Amino acid sequence: MKKYNVAVVGATGMVGRTMLKILQERDFSIDKLYLYSSSRSAGTSIEFNNKKVTVEELTENSFSKEIDIAFFSAGSSTSLKYAQIASANGIVVIDNSSAFRMDKDIPLVVPEVNAHDITNHKGIISNPNCSTIQALVVLKPLHDKYKIKRIVFSTYQAVSGSGVNGIQDLERGLLGEPNTFYPHQIANNCLPHIDSFEENGYTKEELKMINETKKILHDDDLRITATTVRVPVYYSHSESINIEFENEFEINELKKVLEEAPGIIVLDNPKENLYPLPTEVAGKDEVFVGRIRKDYSVDCGINLWVVADNIRKGAATNAVQIAEEVIRNL
Ligand code: A2P
């Protein structure tokens, strides 16, 4: 089996470390592994497949090596500075930041949904926003079958989506200490504020969900709105998704469509109090769906409760799945 040289930029971060874990779990065929961080973590080491790999400082020369695939997860400014350098050296970049997501020449990919878009890549492939990824795994089979007209997203997002800073603010808040990262206390609270506010009153996170969904489904006519909320949960994002379809549906058939779609686990038995919970879903790679019920306020509407591990399927797992598609096409 062919082996690949792989680089992870932001290897010491929460998503970077999870990517390394997933590459090992999925037995990704790696020859040489290069780990990059800022100067802060350079010189430390991380164990990979029972060997210690030294973390190096990211510089412009980091990509003048024989590397096949580079995962970037060190924020937008690092991607904007270095991703083009890597791709100019023939390296396929899988970028977890928002830097290139809405660039029309750069594929934005959830493998269960639009793996075919990878074939058009010109060196960089974007990993969507965490909340968008888990929603799209569920929306795609329903859009194919019943044609979606309108979507209302309401999210309940874990603090790990803000990295170590978010986790520390929740830990501190639970001890009665003041927040240092979020604008308000997150412990025992809900903040209707993820990423910065735009002039129109929406947050960037809300606009990411709206715009990325249209791009991935290749449908600019979809009517979508979103409210994104940070909640005091460590891992896994939850979403209430209200969907209006063009076409009529039968509820049991719709459940079957979801059960048979790739990457989804349906957990829906209200009589047994069975529905997806962030604590149960953390550490898993699938997207979990429950509370599947008709929205009787419109002709063809449905309500869903969708939960996924935001660091795994919402970031690291999706990126590794993209890499698996890339090597399938090499
Ligand atoms: P470092 O450990 O040196 O800070 P998180 O999102 O969990 O905070 O992780 C961010 C990741 O991105 C870390 O690995 C961090 O490295 C890395 N990083 C942050 N800024 C830069 C930069 N300017 N150049 C390279 N890596 C960076």
Side-chain angles (χ1 to χ4, degrees):
M1 201 203 324
K2 185 168 165 17
K3 291 193 165 191
Y4 299 89
N5 294 345
V6 169
V8 178
V9 176
T12 51
M14 200 178 299
V15 173
R17 283 180 185 275
T18 308
M19 271 177 192
L20 292 168
K21 211 161 128 191
I22 291 167
L23 287 166
Q24 291 173 89
E25 284 172 12
R26 295 172 81 102
D27 243 338
F28 197 91
S29 179
I30 294 180
D31 184 9
K32 293 200 183 76
L33 178 67
Y34 299 97
L35 304 182
Y36 296 119
S37 72
S38 77
S39 56
R40 288 183 294 273
S41 301
T44 59
S45 63
I46 295 179
E47 206 168 285
F48 187 85
N49 283 343
N50 301 318
K51 283 191 205 125
K52 282 196 166 168
V53 183
T54 304
V55 180
E56 299 170 59
E57 182 179 355
L58 180 69
T59 70
E60 292 184 2
N61 296 325
S62 300
F63 305 104
S64 49
K65 298 169 179 158
E66 290 226 348
I67 297 172
D68 300 294
I69 294 173
F71 294 98
F72 273 64
S73 191
S76 288
S77 54
T78 303
S79 295
L80 286 167
K81 193 163 168 199
Y82 294 100
Q84 307 281 7
I85 298 173
S87 74
N89 283 341
I91 300 168
V92 179
V93 171
I94 299 170
D95 184 36
N96 196 48
S97 81
S98 58
F100 309 107
R101 285 184 193 147
M102 292 315 296
D103 187 324
K104 67 176 173 28
D105 292 327
I106 294 183
L108 181 65
V109 176
V110 181
E112 292 89 341
V113 176
N114 63 335
H116 54 276
D117 285 342
I118 290 174
T119 47
N120 300 325
H121 84 79
K122 298 181 178 69
I124 302 176
I125 301 162
S126 271
N127 210 32
N129 171 267
C130 44
S131 307
T132 312
I133 291 175
Q134 69 183 73
L136 263 292
V137 170
V138 171
L139 292 174
K140 167 72 173 161
L142 299 178
H143 190 44
D144 286 348
K145 181 88 181 167
Y146 307 111
K147 185 130 177 56
I148 295 172
K149 197 153 74 170
R150 179 167 185 261
I151 306 167
V152 182
F153 290 125
S154 308
T155 72
Y156 306 72
Q157 297 183 220
V159 293
S160 54
S162 312
V164 175
N165 289 330
I167 293 199
Q168 285 178 348
D169 248 20
L170 177 52
E171 281 171 349
R172 271 194 290 260
L174 290 170
L175 295 171
E177 295 169 13
N179 47 295
T180 61
F181 174 69
Y182 293 119
H184 304 281
Q185 171 188 315
I186 184 67
N188 303 313
N189 225 349
C190 297
L191 310 185
H193 176 184
I194 300 184
D195 208 333
S196 51
F197 281 102
E198 295 284 294
E199 277 299 308
N200 61 7
Y202 281 77
T203 62
K204 278 193 179 149
E205 184 81 354
E206 288 158 352
L207 298 178
K208 282 178 205 167
M209 286 196 84
I210 294 168
N211 297 327
E212 292 179 21
T213 298
K214 292 180 181 182
K215 176 169 173 176
I216 296 166
L217 291 177
H218 299 282
D219 193 342
D220 280 337
D221 294 334
L222 284 173
R223 284 184 284 151
I224 310 176
T225 192
T227 302
T228 58
V229 180
R230 189 73 71 194
V231 296
V233 164
Y234 284 109
Y235 294 99
S236 301
H237 290 348
S238 304
E239 299 178 356
S240 159
I241 308 184
N242 175 267
I243 310 167
E244 199 179 338
F245 299 111
E246 299 271 1
N247 301 318
E248 288 186 3
F249 64 90
E250 200 277 309
I251 192 81
N252 287 326
E253 184 196 61
L254 183 144
K255 284 185 187 175
K256 203 150 173 277
V257 168
L258 291 175
E259 275 162 2
E260 288 172 358
I264 296 177
I265 294 182
V266 174
L267 265 190
D268 192 20
N269 187 353
K271 286 198 190 90
E272 303 286 333
N273 297 337
L274 192 65
Y275 32 73
L277 296 169
T279 47
E280 299 291 315
V281 166
K284 312 247 166 63
D285 286 315
E286 296 87 358
V287 176
F288 290 71
V289 192
R291 302 293 324 280
I292 304 169
R293 64 211 190 278
K294 276 197 168 178
D295 171 2
Y296 293 105
S297 69
V298 291
D299 285 341
C300 307
I302 190 110
N303 284 306
L304 306 173
W305 176 249
V306 176
V307 184
D309 185 320
N310 56 306
I311 305 294
R312 291 183 71 102
K313 182 57 185 163
T317 305
N318 200 71
V320 174
Q321 286 175 302
I322 293 175
E324 289 169 348
E325 291 292 333
V326 168
I327 60 175
R328 214 166 282 146
N329 292 324
L330 277 179

Short mmCIF file of all heavy atoms in Angstrom, two decimals, residues 207-228:
data_model
loop_
_atom_site.label_atom_id
_atom_site.label_comp_id
_atom_site.label_asym_id
_atom_site.label_seq_id
_atom_site.Cartn_x
_atom_site.Cartn_y
_atom_site.Cartn_z
N LEU A 207 -23.92 33.50 9.91
CA LEU A 207 -23.77 33.69 8.46
C LEU A 207 -22.98 32.54 7.84
O LEU A 207 -23.25 32.13 6.71
CB LEU A 207 -23.09 35.03 8.17
CG LEU A 207 -23.91 36.24 8.66
CD1 LEU A 207 -23.18 37.54 8.39
CD2 LEU A 207 -25.30 36.28 8.00
N LYS A 208 -22.02 31.99 8.62
CA LYS A 208 -21.28 30.81 8.10
C LYS A 208 -22.26 29.67 7.85
O LYS A 208 -22.23 29.02 6.81
CB LYS A 208 -20.23 30.34 9.13
CG LYS A 208 -18.96 31.18 9.18
CD LYS A 208 -18.05 30.62 10.27
CE LYS A 208 -17.11 31.68 10.79
NZ LYS A 208 -16.44 31.28 12.03
N MET A 209 -23.14 29.41 8.81
CA MET A 209 -24.10 28.30 8.64
C MET A 209 -24.97 28.53 7.41
O MET A 209 -25.25 27.61 6.63
CB MET A 209 -24.99 28.16 9.88
CG MET A 209 -24.29 27.55 11.07
SD MET A 209 -25.47 26.99 12.31
CE MET A 209 -25.90 25.37 11.68
N ILE A 210 -25.42 29.75 7.23
CA ILE A 210 -26.32 30.07 6.11
C ILE A 210 -25.57 29.94 4.77
O ILE A 210 -26.01 29.23 3.86
CB ILE A 210 -26.89 31.51 6.29
CG1 ILE A 210 -27.78 31.55 7.53
CG2 ILE A 210 -27.63 31.96 5.02
CD1 ILE A 210 -28.17 32.97 7.98
N ASN A 211 -24.43 30.59 4.67
CA ASN A 211 -23.73 30.65 3.38
C ASN A 211 -23.06 29.33 3.02
O ASN A 211 -23.06 28.90 1.86
CB ASN A 211 -22.71 31.79 3.38
CG ASN A 211 -23.39 33.13 3.53
OD1 ASN A 211 -24.51 33.32 3.05
ND2 ASN A 211 -22.76 34.06 4.23
N GLU A 212 -22.48 28.66 4.02
CA GLU A 212 -21.80 27.39 3.73
C GLU A 212 -22.82 26.31 3.32
O GLU A 212 -22.55 25.48 2.46
CB GLU A 212 -20.99 26.92 4.95
CG GLU A 212 -19.80 27.83 5.25
CD GLU A 212 -19.00 27.39 6.47
OE1 GLU A 212 -19.08 26.21 6.86
OE2 GLU A 212 -18.28 28.24 7.02
N THR A 213 -24.00 26.33 3.94
CA THR A 213 -25.03 25.34 3.58
C THR A 213 -25.41 25.49 2.10
O THR A 213 -25.51 24.51 1.36
CB THR A 213 -26.28 25.52 4.47
OG1 THR A 213 -25.89 25.29 5.82
CG2 THR A 213 -27.40 24.56 4.10
N LYS A 214 -25.61 26.74 1.66
CA LYS A 214 -25.97 26.98 0.25
C LYS A 214 -24.84 26.51 -0.67
O LYS A 214 -25.09 25.91 -1.71
CB LYS A 214 -26.23 28.47 0.02
CG LYS A 214 -27.47 28.97 0.72
CD LYS A 214 -27.67 30.45 0.45
CE LYS A 214 -28.91 30.95 1.18
NZ LYS A 214 -29.16 32.37 0.91
N LYS A 215 -23.59 26.79 -0.28
CA LYS A 215 -22.46 26.41 -1.14
C LYS A 215 -22.35 24.89 -1.25
O LYS A 215 -22.18 24.35 -2.33
CB LYS A 215 -21.16 27.02 -0.61
CG LYS A 215 -19.95 26.58 -1.42
CD LYS A 215 -18.67 27.35 -1.10
CE LYS A 215 -17.49 26.72 -1.84
NZ LYS A 215 -16.24 27.44 -1.69
N ILE A 216 -22.47 24.18 -0.13
CA ILE A 216 -22.27 22.72 -0.15
C ILE A 216 -23.41 22.04 -0.89
O ILE A 216 -23.19 21.06 -1.61
CB ILE A 216 -22.13 22.18 1.30
CG1 ILE A 216 -20.87 22.76 1.94
CG2 ILE A 216 -22.08 20.65 1.32
CD1 ILE A 216 -20.79 22.58 3.44
N LEU A 217 -24.62 22.56 -0.76
CA LEU A 217 -25.76 21.95 -1.46
C LEU A 217 -25.92 22.50 -2.88
O LEU A 217 -26.82 22.09 -3.61
CB LEU A 217 -27.06 22.16 -0.67
CG LEU A 217 -27.17 21.39 0.65
CD1 LEU A 217 -28.46 21.73 1.38
CD2 LEU A 217 -27.08 19.87 0.43
N HIS A 218 -25.04 23.41 -3.26
CA HIS A 218 -25.10 24.04 -4.59
C HIS A 218 -26.50 24.57 -4.87
O HIS A 218 -27.09 24.31 -5.92
CB HIS A 218 -24.72 23.02 -5.69
CG HIS A 218 -23.33 22.50 -5.54
ND1 HIS A 218 -22.22 23.22 -5.90
CD2 HIS A 218 -22.87 21.34 -5.04
CE1 HIS A 218 -21.13 22.53 -5.64
NE2 HIS A 218 -21.49 21.38 -5.10
N ASP A 219 -27.05 25.31 -3.90
CA ASP A 219 -28.41 25.81 -4.06
C ASP A 219 -28.53 27.18 -3.39
O ASP A 219 -28.79 27.29 -2.19
CB ASP A 219 -29.40 24.79 -3.45
CG ASP A 219 -30.82 25.08 -3.85
OD1 ASP A 219 -31.10 26.21 -4.30
OD2 ASP A 219 -31.65 24.16 -3.74
N ASP A 220 -28.36 28.24 -4.18
CA ASP A 220 -28.43 29.59 -3.64
C ASP A 220 -29.85 30.05 -3.35
O ASP A 220 -30.06 31.08 -2.72
CB ASP A 220 -27.78 30.59 -4.62
CG ASP A 220 -26.27 30.56 -4.49
OD1 ASP A 220 -25.78 30.14 -3.40
OD2 ASP A 220 -25.58 30.92 -5.46
N ASP A 221 -30.85 29.27 -3.83
CA ASP A 221 -32.24 29.68 -3.62
C ASP A 221 -32.80 29.26 -2.27
O ASP A 221 -33.90 29.66 -1.90
CB ASP A 221 -33.14 29.07 -4.71
CG ASP A 221 -32.80 29.64 -6.08
OD1 ASP A 221 -32.29 30.78 -6.11
OD2 ASP A 221 -33.01 28.94 -7.08
N LEU A 222 -32.05 28.43 -1.55
CA LEU A 222 -32.55 27.98 -0.25
C LEU A 222 -32.75 29.17 0.67
O LEU A 222 -31.90 30.08 0.70
CB LEU A 222 -31.53 27.03 0.40
CG LEU A 222 -31.46 25.62 -0.15
CD1 LEU A 222 -30.28 24.89 0.48
CD2 LEU A 222 -32.76 24.88 0.16
N ARG A 223 -33.86 29.17 1.41
CA ARG A 223 -34.09 30.24 2.39
C ARG A 223 -33.66 29.69 3.75
O ARG A 223 -34.17 28.64 4.18
CB ARG A 223 -35.55 30.65 2.38
CG ARG A 223 -35.86 31.51 1.14
CD ARG A 223 -37.26 32.02 1.17
NE ARG A 223 -38.17 30.96 0.80
CZ ARG A 223 -39.44 30.88 1.24
NH1 ARG A 223 -39.90 31.78 2.08
NH2 ARG A 223 -40.23 29.91 0.85
N ILE A 224 -32.68 30.35 4.37
CA ILE A 224 -32.11 29.81 5.62
C ILE A 224 -31.94 30.94 6.63
O ILE A 224 -31.52 32.04 6.26
CB ILE A 224 -30.71 29.19 5.36
CG1 ILE A 224 -30.74 28.23 4.18
CG2 ILE A 224 -30.19 28.51 6.62
CD1 ILE A 224 -29.38 27.66 3.80
N THR A 225 -32.25 30.65 7.88
CA THR A 225 -31.92 31.59 8.94
C THR A 225 -31.31 30.81 10.11
O THR A 225 -31.45 29.59 10.18
CB THR A 225 -33.14 32.44 9.36
OG1 THR A 225 -32.67 33.51 10.19
CG2 THR A 225 -34.18 31.63 10.10
N ALA A 226 -30.60 31.52 10.99
CA ALA A 226 -29.88 30.81 12.06
C ALA A 226 -29.73 31.69 13.29
O ALA A 226 -29.56 32.91 13.19
CB ALA A 226 -28.49 30.40 11.56
N THR A 227 -29.80 31.04 14.45
CA THR A 227 -29.42 31.67 15.72
C THR A 227 -28.44 30.71 16.39
O THR A 227 -28.78 29.53 16.59
CB THR A 227 -30.65 31.87 16.65
OG1 THR A 227 -31.60 32.67 15.96
CG2 THR A 227 -30.25 32.56 17.95
N THR A 228 -27.24 31.17 16.65
CA THR A 228 -26.22 30.27 17.23
C THR A 228 -25.93 30.68 18.67
O THR A 228 -25.70 31.86 18.95
CB THR A 228 -24.93 30.27 16.39
OG1 THR A 228 -24.41 31.59 16.32
CG2 THR A 228 -25.18 29.74 14.99
#
